[in-house]
Amino acid sequence: MSTIMNMLCRVGQIRRCAASLSQTISQVAASRQKHTLPDLTYDYGALEPHISAEIMQLHHSKHHATYVNNLNVTEEKYQEALAKGDVTAQVSLQAALRFNGGGHINHTIFWTNLSPNGGGEPQGELMEAIKRDFGSFQKLKEKMSAATVAVQGSGWGWLGFDKENGRLRVAACANQDPLQGTTGLIPLLGIDVWEHAYYLQYKNVRPDYVKAIWNIINWENVSERLQIAKK
């Protein structure tokens, strides 16, 4: 009789522990800080005539916001799968994490890469690095523009920093694949060539959009990113 009572007590303890663990996991998931849509430091119309206010408003408040919302939902599902030890669900969520997480990362960089006071040429260490690795600023523009225009379907053109070799490199990524997670390069400057980034203004003439965007590149931001990447 005492043996049965001991077993029942143990079962009760196990249930209480399981309930407590489940509650703790739920509290951790609830307290996890959710991703939010970053504010822009300029008005939607500030980048005109190179990018219209309508495009900026839709791109930021609709498209980027969707990536943020979907990333939060996906991360919640992933936390639930982790808590349950459901490896199949964890694997199935990887594509959504990559797409929405990449979309959030990429756009957060993109907005800061642009400025109504941008354009011109970079200065200081960034310009020296560009000359060293590409020959001249003009050659960088030509190489990055060509790689960006050539993206098949949707994606991004990037100037990245190869920390292992201490060099600047141009790369392109499909869809919303994040540069660092895909190639190992640290992102410095990104050009979004999803059609929602330009179609309302430039229609299907992607080269014109890529040519125009150089007029609003925030080289101070790119320089700051290089300094951080080199640390």
Side-chain angles (χ1 to χ4, degrees):
M1 189 68 162
S2 60
T3 302
I4 294 174
M5 290 299 293
N6 287 335
M7 289 179 63
L8 290 173
C9 286
R10 287 178 182 175
V11 169
Q13 288 175 343
I14 291 170
R15 286 176 176 172
R16 285 193 295 274
C17 287
S20 177
L21 178 60
S22 177
Q23 185 179 14
T24 300
I25 291 171
S26 297
Q27 289 173 343
V28 170
S31 64
R32 179 184 63 82
Q33 188 171 2
K34 292 191 175 185
H35 303 284
T36 58
L37 182 69
D39 292 330
L40 300 185
T41 58
Y42 43 82
D43 295 332
Y44 287 139
L47 303 182
E48 291 186 336
H50 310 293
I51 301 180
S52 71
E54 183 181 14
I55 287 176
M56 287 298 297
Q57 190 271 329
L58 290 171
H59 198 174
H60 177 257
S61 69
K62 301 298 183 182
H63 291 281
H64 189 175
T66 299
Y67 294 125
V68 172
N69 293 336
N70 289 341
L71 176 59
N72 284 324
V73 170
T74 303
E75 284 192 343
E76 287 178 4
K77 291 180 179 179
Y78 194 81
Q79 289 297 327
E80 292 173 2
L82 281 174
K84 295 175 182 177
D86 188 342
V87 178
T88 299
Q90 293 171 42
V91 172
S92 69
L93 289 166
Q94 292 297 316
L97 283 172
R98 184 184 187 92
F99 182 74
N100 293 294
H104 181 39
I105 291 169
N106 294 342
H107 284 88
T108 300
I109 295 169
F110 183 60
W111 308 130
T112 65
N113 278 166
L114 304 178
S115 169
N117 300 314
E121 297 187 353
Q123 304 295 323
E125 286 188 42
L126 176 58
M127 179 60 108
E128 292 305 312
I130 288 172
K131 290 178 179 178
R132 178 196 66 209
D133 297 334
F134 300 101
S136 68
F137 175 58
Q138 183 61 33
K139 287 182 180 179
L140 164 66
K141 286 178 64 176
E142 291 171 358
K143 184 170 184 176
M144 188 169 173
S145 294
T148 304
V149 170
V151 170
Q152 294 184 341
S154 301
W156 293 73
W158 290 100
L159 175 65
F161 180 66
D162 184 338
K163 193 159 189 173
E164 184 177 348
N165 298 314
R167 298 280 180 172
L168 301 179
R169 284 177 52 191
V170 165
C173 291
N175 301 312
Q176 293 296 351
D177 290 356
L179 182 69
Q180 191 164 3
T182 305
T183 68
L185 299 175
I186 300 172
L188 304 179
L189 169 63
I191 300 178
D192 186 354
V193 284
W194 278 68
E195 285 193 340
H196 63 236
Y198 63 88
Y199 196 85
L200 288 176
Q201 184 172 355
Y202 293 92
K203 303 302 184 250
N204 63 334
V205 190
R206 182 186 285 179
D208 285 357
Y209 157 70
V210 172
K211 180 179 180 181
I213 206 168
W214 291 102
N215 294 308
I216 47 175
I217 297 299
N218 184 351
W219 290 113
E220 288 185 9
N221 178 262
V222 180
S223 295
E224 290 170 1
R225 291 183 178 279
L226 176 60
Q227 293 303 315
I228 294 171
K230 291 169 69 175
K231 292 181 179 177

